Amino acid sequence: MDTTLVIRAKDVHMEFPVKNGPSVVALERINLEVPKGQLTALIGPDGAGKTTFMRLLCGLLDKTSGELDVLGLDVEAHSQEVQNLLSYMPQKFGLYEDLSVAENMNLYADLHGIPMGERPERFQKLLEMTGLSEFTSRLAGKLSGGMKQKLGLACTLVRSPDLLILDEPTVGVDPLSRRELWAILKHLVHDEHLSVFVSTAYMDEAAMCEKVYIMNHGRFLGQGTPAELSAIASGRCFEVKPLPGVAMRVLQSFLLADSRITDAVPSNGAVRFITTEPNLEIAWLVKQGMTPVPVEERLEDSFMILLKDDEQELAASSLVIFADSETETAVEIEESQVPKSDTDMPQLDYLHLTGQTIADDAPIDIEVENLVKQFGDFTAVANTSFQVRQGEVFGLLGPNGAGKTTTFRMLCGLLPSTSGVLNVAGVNLRHARTQARANIGYVAQKFSLYDTLTVYENLRFFGGAYGLYGDALERRIYEIMDEFGLTDKKDEDTSQLPGGYKQRLSMAAGLIHCPKILFLDEPTSGIDPLARRNFWQQITRLSAQGTTIIITTHFMDEAEYCDRFMIQDKGRLLILGSPADIREQVQLPKADMNEIFIEIVERARDKGAM
């Protein structure tokens, strides 16, 4: 028994039996050792096996073969003892929304047999640490997303565990709340010497851990300190600013088309890209007046390199397709326009044609003037005004509880406004919500799919709900399945789909009636960087075709994809503009969007407190 390790896995293998078919391999003979008293991260794409491994650690599943010790105990032989020593916070932590903060904590203390005499001191410490001391009587259902996550962590820690296991604890949480949660975790590790094993979709969070494991298809692709893993990308990372009038997401698409580019993503007002070899020059960029600048490598760069190297991507079309290995369509560009070498440059006219900033004279698809929404004495949205033009990608951002979901629901016609002007697709929503909805596609924050129906059946249902029928509906179903790479999954129950496929099916359902405007409510929440890259390629294609996109997100780097975005807090509009405009307004030209978001919100809150 090695008491210096909290987790030891040797050749751990896990298969799930499938009725009338071969077993599915979830974990393929993995090995790892996690030392005591440190913060360790597990990262990987959807379906990589992260949650399966965590459930094995907690004794909630039995492995197929191999050795697995947690806190010096064989998990399978001593599952109850292991569960008594650790605390586990799954992705969907079971808070009771009709109970108060204090009642939830007492309930979990009852479940763990915490004596009444020990609770006051323990609860006070947890409430102070999570910033919930002033909210003990508030119902859990009335808390913001970030506060719910902090309450979930407090309930998980009502007893003092030897090991804390967290499965994506910051999904759907804004940057301010994420910062607070990670400050708590670092305090627990460094001041209370707790061992924490955490999975996360955020690479900046993984970079704060002492050691990181990267997983894909049930195997470890790499492991080491963040610095050791980041070094994989050494000499391969660059940034380039697009030409004036060209959207970053379009330049990103051209870079991804070059076979010498491993990855490209908008970042810090430019497009950050990774070459397949160190110090590789992409001369066609320079010839068009865009000079790449070397930048320091980071963990996310290496994550993408390892993931792309592990995936077998095939181009099986007369069109070049930008996609991950799971998807068969994204942004499509004619073969002749794609750079394959420095002598075969993309056509500059095409870049301007499809990627220019939305013109000031483009038709207005959404007009909001002095929009107000009140719930009794509470003002959720206060005098908000903005416009969105056809083909624009417009971001609606803010902390948990800022009023953005309320704004979003009013724009979709799902919630009536208290006062103000709200026109969508030329229709006044105060007088003709049903008429306006015919031009709207909506993808909810939590996928609005029917788990007991197949992919085909879901699309047939949503198509019928939007007024399609007969041969037209049938043709559209097969078009949209092909467009989103769902044809091979046509007869699978939705409940069995990985998260990335569910997201695609939700997008397909929202677009089946070819709406003018698409509303996306945190569509990338909880999905990995590779799936998010693919998602934004789909958005780029839709925007180029003239679809207007309104999106909310807690990944602040995604604001870089937007033509314009707004940030609101406590129901009030704080700032509105393009990424470049907002950088100039806050005078932070080189900051990333997380820093800018936090700066804007904290400035406004400090001003309001004066």
Side-chain angles (χ1 to χ4, degrees):
M1 180 188 299
D2 190 340
T3 57
T4 65
L5 299 177
V6 289
I7 301 172
R8 185 187 72 89
K10 183 178 180 183
D11 295 329
V12 171
H13 191 76
M14 183 68 186
E15 295 185 12
F16 290 103
V18 176
K19 188 177 180 180
N20 301 323
S23 297
V24 173
V25 177
L27 299 173
E28 189 175 343
R29 305 193 182 285
I30 63 173
N31 296 274
L32 88 163
E33 294 184 343
V34 176
K36 191 176 185 178
Q38 73 173 31
L39 191 53
T40 304
L42 179 63
I43 58 177
D46 295 317
K50 304 184 299 296
T51 296
T52 296
F53 183 61
M54 288 189 156
R55 289 175 64 81
L56 285 176
L57 294 177
C58 298
L60 300 175
L61 292 173
D62 291 335
K63 64 188 182 305
T64 304
S65 62
E67 300 176 14
L68 183 59
D69 296 340
V70 173
L71 299 168
L73 297 169
D74 181 298
V75 179
E76 203 163 318
H78 304 280
S79 60
Q80 188 57 59
E81 292 176 64
V82 169
Q83 289 168 10
N84 291 339
L85 294 171
L86 60 77
S87 289
Y88 172 51
M89 184 176 169
Q91 287 182 28
K92 296 179 181 178
F93 187 78
L95 291 175
Y96 292 84
E97 299 209 343
D98 56 346
L99 296 182
S100 69
V101 168
E103 288 168 338
N104 267 281
M105 293 180 69
N106 271 302
L107 175 61
Y108 278 92
D110 289 341
L111 292 173
H112 292 300
I114 307 299
M116 294 297 295
E118 295 180 11
R119 296 186 190 187
E121 182 180 353
R122 182 70 181 167
F123 283 14
Q124 182 181 355
K125 186 175 183 180
L126 290 170
L127 290 166
E128 289 176 356
M129 184 172 62
T130 55
L132 294 171
S133 298
E134 298 178 13
F135 305 98
T136 54
S137 60
R138 182 174 294 187
L139 295 180
K142 299 295 184 182
L143 298 175
S144 69
M147 292 171 75
K148 283 180 180 178
Q149 290 298 91
K150 286 189 278 189
L151 176 56
L153 182 58
C155 290
T156 303
L157 293 169
V158 291
R159 64 174 177 181
S160 298
D162 294 331
L163 171 63
L164 177 61
I165 297 177
L166 304 171
D167 193 358
E168 299 195 6
T170 55
V171 167
V173 175
D174 67 78
L176 281 166
S177 297
R178 286 205 297 122
R179 184 179 65 176
E180 292 166 358
L181 273 165
W182 275 83
I184 293 168
L185 293 181
K186 288 191 280 187
H187 167 78
L188 290 169
V189 171
H190 298 129
D191 294 354
E192 299 193 9
H193 310 294
L194 181 62
S195 303
V196 180
F197 189 68
V198 58
S199 72
T200 177
Y202 294 92
M203 297 300 107
D204 60 331
E205 293 181 351
M208 289 189 276
C209 298
E210 280 93 341
K211 192 168 185 179
V212 179
Y213 288 85
I214 299 175
M215 176 179 274
N216 193 32
H217 298 309
R219 296 172 287 110
F220 287 134
L221 305 182
Q223 56 181 281
T225 66
E228 289 168 345
L229 288 170
S230 297
I232 293 170
S234 179
R236 296 171 59 176
C237 303
F238 302 86
E239 280 186 353
V240 61
K241 289 189 177 293
L243 295 169
V246 176
M248 286 189 285
R249 60 180 182 270
V250 173
L251 176 58
Q252 175 198 26
S253 295
F254 275 84
L255 284 165
L256 288 172
D258 192 318
S259 61
R260 298 164 299 170
I261 305 296
T262 298
D263 183 46
V265 61
S267 175
N268 292 21
V271 179
R272 183 186 184 97
F273 65 93
I274 307 168
T275 55
T276 53
E277 299 175 17
N279 305 313
L280 184 64
E281 182 179 323
I282 309 298
W284 63 264
L285 279 172
V286 179
K287 289 177 182 177
Q288 294 191 57
M290 296 177 282
T291 304
V293 177
V295 291
E296 186 177 357
E297 63 275 6
R298 60 188 185 185
L299 179 60
E300 183 166 332
D301 300 320
S302 298
F303 175 82
M304 294 302 296
I305 288 170
L306 292 172
L307 224 54
K308 289 290 184 74
D309 287 348
D310 195 50
E311 296 289 342
Q312 299 297 319
E313 296 187 354
L314 300 174
S317 169
S318 60
L319 297 177
V320 173
I321 295 172
F322 309 99
D324 65 26
S325 62
E326 294 181 342
T327 305
E328 303 201 356
T329 75
V331 179
E332 297 180 352
I333 296 175
E334 293 179 12
E335 185 82 29
S336 62
Q337 293 168 327
V338 175
K340 302 181 188 65
S341 68
D342 289 330
T343 58
D344 186 12
M345 292 158 41
Q347 296 176 14
L348 187 58
D349 289 344
Y350 180 80
L351 279 173
H352 279 284
L353 177 66
T354 63
Q356 62 187 4
T357 303
I358 303 300
D360 290 340
D361 59 353
I364 295 171
D365 270 348
I366 295 175
E367 184 174 13
V368 176
E369 186 176 341
N370 298 323
L371 185 65
V372 174
K373 180 61 183 178
Q374 293 176 316
F375 297 95
D377 294 334
F378 174 68
T379 301
V381 177
N383 296 309
T384 296
S385 300
F386 60 90
Q387 295 178 332
V388 183
R389 297 188 178 274
Q390 182 180 342
E392 188 172 7
V393 179
F394 186 86
L396 183 57
L397 313 179
N400 296 110
K404 60 184 184 298
T405 298
T406 300
T407 303
F408 201 80
R409 289 175 63 81
M410 286 190 287
L411 292 174
C412 296
L414 299 174
L415 188 68
S417 61
T418 301
S419 63
V421 175
L422 180 51
N423 294 320
V424 175
V427 178
N428 188 321
L429 280 183
R430 287 177 64 83
H431 305 298
R433 280 195 284 167
T434 302
Q435 183 182 347
R437 283 184 194 144
N439 293 307
I440 290 172
Y442 178 60
V443 179
Q445 184 173 342
K446 296 179 180 176
F447 303 120
S448 300
L449 301 171
Y450 292 92
D451 283 349
T452 57
L453 299 182
T454 65
V455 167
Y456 172 84
E457 290 167 341
N458 264 285
L459 291 173
R460 188 171 183 81
F461 171 81
F462 283 102
Y466 282 120
L468 301 178
Y469 60 91
D471 291 343
L473 172 57
E474 198 71 7
R475 283 195 301 273
R476 183 58 181 153
I477 289 172
Y478 280 92
E479 285 174 3
I480 203 81
M481 284 195 301
D482 183 59
E483 188 176 346
F484 283 92
L486 293 166
T487 305
D488 291 343
K489 303 289 185 180
K490 168 178 171 287
D491 297 318
E492 288 192 22
D493 284 350
T494 303
S495 61
Q496 302 303 311
L497 295 176
Y501 277 99
K502 286 185 179 180
Q503 180 216 53
R504 266 184 259 161
L505 178 55
S506 291
M507 286 275 287
L511 288 164
I512 195 164
H513 61 305
C514 302
K516 291 179 62 178
I517 304 170
L518 181 62
F519 288 92
L520 302 168
D521 191 4
E522 295 188 24
T524 56
S525 180
I527 64 173
D528 61 85
L530 186 59
R532 290 198 292 123
R533 301 286 199 281
N534 175 62
F535 165 82
W536 278 101
Q537 291 294 290
Q538 294 168 339
I539 295 303
T540 299
R541 173 178 52 79
L542 291 168
S543 174
Q545 293 170 352
T547 303
T548 303
I549 313 287
I550 312 294
I551 185 167
T552 68
T553 179
H554 281 315
F555 287 98
M556 289 303 111
D557 59 323
E558 294 184 344
E560 302 274 16
Y561 289 94
C562 298
D563 296 296
R564 292 184 304 140
F565 65 90
M566 58 179 275
I567 296 176
Q568 65 184 100
D569 188 30
K570 298 180 180 178
R572 296 189 178 277
L573 176 61
L574 304 184
I575 201 165
L576 170 65
S578 69
D581 291 339
I582 288 175
R583 276 195 167 85
E584 186 175 341
Q585 287 182 57
V586 297
Q587 298 182 330
L588 293 171
K590 296 184 178 180
D592 65 35
M593 277 299 167
N594 264 319
E595 297 173 77
I596 290 171
F597 176 90
I598 290 171
E599 179 69 17
I600 289 167
V601 173
E602 289 189 334
R603 278 187 196 178
R605 290 181 178 180
D606 290 344
K607 186 177 180 180
M610 292 174 64

